[in-house]
Amino acid sequence: MPIPANDAPLEVDCPQCGKRVPWGPESAYRPFCSKRCQLLDLGAWAEESHRISGESAMDEADIETLLAQADKDAPLS
């Protein structure tokens, strides 16, 4: 008797290496297959190899203006 699709454990592909990973508490690093793949992905985000496309919300001039204004504001007491 075939197992219904709803009873099959959910599996996803590791975003780093493509290995199949069960989606459940037994997979501590899900959706990654291992700590190594998780850290490789984090490193790619940190060095901006991975990024969400689109325009920046602020450019450096806006940030400088906000910092200058913050320096002028009185401290909270």
Side-chain angles (χ1 to χ4, degrees):
M1 178 175 206
I3 299 173
N6 291 345
D7 290 344
L10 177 64
E11 287 188 343
V12 297
D13 293 332
C14 173
Q16 190 65 36
C17 70
K19 180 180 173 184
R20 298 294 290 171
V21 180
W23 190 269
E26 70 277 6
S27 301
Y29 303 107
R30 66 182 180 267
F32 302 98
C33 66
S34 65
K35 182 75 169 176
R36 177 184 179 277
C37 281
Q38 184 184 49
L39 289 174
L40 286 170
D41 187 75
L42 178 62
W45 281 101
E47 67 181 18
E48 297 184 359
S49 295
H50 295 326
R51 60 181 150 207
I52 299 171
S53 63
E55 293 183 29
S56 176
M58 286 188 196
D59 63 15
E60 287 187 34
D62 293 336
I63 294 171
E64 294 299 325
T65 303
L66 287 173
L67 289 173
Q69 182 61 41
D71 288 341
K72 292 178 184 176
D73 290 343
L76 298 174
S77 49

